[in-house]
């Protein structure tokens, strides 16, 4: 702990690092902090943390934190501000991790790490998960995963006693299980982080790790890595089992949610495995044409691969390029074990890979050249990248805010119509789908006539002429490359958790619209669905989009009835 505090002081006392990272954080998250938007899960905060649904789906770390800090109340601005500060600490811990591995052979000044940490913290892909309440704990999860890796390398130090090695390995398991309790995707961050550290050791100290306290031999690393991951999964399962017994979570089985497993369903449908691989290629390679964080990821993989080949030849070490091959294949494996293409909101490894590539560029810059002009050119290029990432992050937070404004406007109008013309003592049934207006989410569309779409089409058609169609918008406006920008709380809240519209009633209550209640009887909801289809009820805001029955009030989707809800491209 003392060493960690001293390492933190090294960065905190560096004014250039702290000021620079603070400005980057403000640039990337300033709008999100100052403009709160109520979206998916925001209405269900008490359900997750007071009733225990977070624990029921496997997010036990957030559930226990709520017992201390009481995050079960919706607290916009405060939550975002604290989360950004935690994220700044977390990315600093990753810088400390790499700096520790480098030791005396690493010549990077503390201030230069602002580019490493800045690229990681400003990655626009984080916006895909940041729009959720508490952001699925990713801000804290990054830091806990870095601490788990620090404990792992402590357990692999050559001069450590066996007892201390084992203790550090157990601590790594515990910390990783805590990270998985925030978001299960951190198992991938941990594994990729371990591969990065092993690569650095081989690059700096060779096959035997001469001059380093940490071993760089393959077998100890492979054994410790497998043991730590396996142990963390066991600890996670035990903790969840105990907490479920104590909290009696069997009562939550009525909700249509699933436990977030680390391994998905086995592929039993012909062609399903092939389709997952194809879609992964589109989302994490082809979309680099139009989506900045994926473009940066692709460039980062290229930079890391070049470094691995060059240093692998210099060191005559075949394991170095193999390590980078693992970094590129692990995300594919993640999609396979999940049973579907990894959602952008679960791809926490993307900012990490981007930051690691910047770290290697800076290391090469300070190790092999003293040309000041070249260094300054690299700083300018990294500055341009940081600016564009901050701009892109703000754009998606602004789209999320526009989505919220649109949802609020729609729900206010619906409430007005109900109060004016109907008996609101009757329960309400919402049915149908909802599409975020094109004008709100247009930035996530690629028009069919654009050069970008033509390039996407030319690449995907080589693999499968119908592959690009999986990402077409149902409104016919173009190709969609993002995920969360097209999902509204009104689409989610219609059937969230228990197939009722309780979350839309809660949305009303969060805006001072009281006096409404939703229908809980699933038979009546099915009956209302049949009425909607039989009478071909128009969608909001056309006249007749609300129908009052003897026992309830039903209203159609907020879009025309014949248009289905838009599903995320999986």
């Amino acid at each position: 702990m003392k060493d960690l505090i001293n390492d933190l002081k090294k960065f905190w006392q560096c004014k250039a690092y702290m000021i620079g990272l603070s400005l980057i954080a403000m640039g990337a998250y300033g709008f999100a902090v100052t403009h709160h938007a109520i979206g998916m899960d925001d209405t269900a905060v008490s359900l997750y943390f007071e009733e225990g649904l977070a624990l029921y789906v496997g997010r036990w770390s957030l559930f226990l934190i709520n017992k201390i800090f009481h995050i079960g109340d919706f607290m916009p601005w405060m939550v975002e501000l604290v989360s950004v500060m935690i994220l700044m600490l977390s990315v600093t811990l990753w810088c400390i991790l790499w700096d520790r591995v480098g030791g005396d052979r690493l010549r990077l000044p503390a201030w230069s790490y602002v580019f490493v940490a800045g690229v990681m913290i400003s990655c626009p892909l984080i916006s895909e998960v940041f729009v959720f309440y508490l952001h699925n704990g990713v801000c804290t999860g990054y830091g806990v995963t870095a601490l788990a890796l620090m404990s792992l390398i402590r357990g692999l130090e050559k001069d450590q006693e066996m007892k201390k090695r084992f203790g550090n390995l157990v601590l790594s398991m515990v910390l990783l299980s805590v990270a998985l309790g925030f978001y299960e995707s951190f198992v991938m961050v941990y594994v990729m982080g371990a591969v990065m550290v092993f690569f650095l050791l081989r690059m700096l100290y060779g096959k035997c790790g001469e001059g380093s306290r940490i071993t760089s031999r393959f077998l100890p690393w492979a054994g410790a890595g497998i043991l730590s991951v396996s142990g963390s999964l066991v600890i996670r399962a035990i903790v969840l089992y105990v907490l479920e017994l104590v909290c009696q979570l069997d009562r939550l089985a009525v909700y249509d949610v699933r436990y977030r497993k680390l391994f998905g369903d086995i592929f039993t449908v012909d062609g399903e495995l092939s389709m997952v691989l194809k879609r992964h290629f589109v989302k994490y390679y082809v979309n680099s044409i139009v989506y900045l964080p994926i473009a940066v990821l692709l460039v980062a993989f290229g930079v890391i691969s070049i470094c691995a080949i060059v240093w692998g030849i210099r060191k005559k070490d075949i394991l170095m390029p193999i390590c980078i091959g693992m970094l590129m294949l692990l995300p594919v494996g993640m999609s396979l074990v999940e049973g579907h293409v990894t959602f952008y909101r679960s791809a926490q490894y993307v900012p990490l890979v981007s930051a690691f590539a910047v770290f290697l560029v800076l290391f090469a810059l300070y190790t092999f050249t003293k040309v000041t002009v070249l260094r300054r050119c690299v700083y300018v290029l990294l500055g341009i990248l940081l600016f564009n990432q901050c701009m892109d992050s703000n754009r998606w937070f602004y789209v999320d805010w526009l989505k919220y404004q649109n949802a609020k406007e729609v729900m206010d109008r619906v409430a007005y119509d109900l109060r004016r013309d109907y008996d609101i003592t009757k329960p309400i049934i919402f049915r149908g789908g909802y599409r975020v207006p094109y004008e709100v989410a247009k930035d996530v569309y690629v028009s069919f006539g654009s050069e970008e779409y033509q390039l996407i089409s030319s690449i995907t058609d080589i693999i499968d002429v119908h592959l690009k169609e999986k990402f077409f918008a149902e409104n016919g406006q173009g190709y969609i490359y993002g995920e969360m920008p097209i999902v509204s709380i009104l689409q989610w809240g219609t059937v969230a958790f228990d197939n009722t519209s309780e979350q839309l009633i809660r949305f009303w209550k969060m805006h001072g619209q009281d006096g409404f209640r939703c229908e809980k009887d699933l038979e009546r909801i099915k009956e209302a669905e049949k009425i909607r289809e039989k009478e071909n009820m128009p969608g909001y805001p056309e006249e007749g989009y609300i129908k009052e029955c003897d026992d309830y009030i039903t209203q159609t989707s907020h879009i025309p009835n014949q248009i289905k809800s838009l599903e995320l491209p999986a």
Side-chain angles (χ1 to χ4, degrees), residues 39-44 47-48 53 254-257 430-432 488-506 518-520 522 525:
M40 288 175 61
D41 287 347
D42 291 341
T43 60
L47 180 62
Y48 273 110
L53 197 62
V254 297
Y255 293 112
D256 184 21
V257 295
F430 284 89
R431 269 304 177 266
S488 171
I489 187 174
L490 301 187
Q491 173 185 336
W492 167 81
T494 300
V495 295
F497 301 119
D498 57 358
N499 208 36
T500 74
S501 304
E502 175 64 29
Q503 299 311 311
L504 295 184
I505 303 298
R506 294 190 181 192
C518 77
E519 178 60 68
K520 296 287 189 177
L522 296 182
I525 292 175

Side-chain angles (χ1 to χ4, degrees), residues 188-203:
M188 179 59 64
V189 176
Y190 180 86
V191 173
M192 295 186 77
V195 173
M196 291 172 184
V197 171
F198 179 73
F199 173 81
L200 283 178
L201 288 168
R202 304 284 287 208
M203 181 183 74

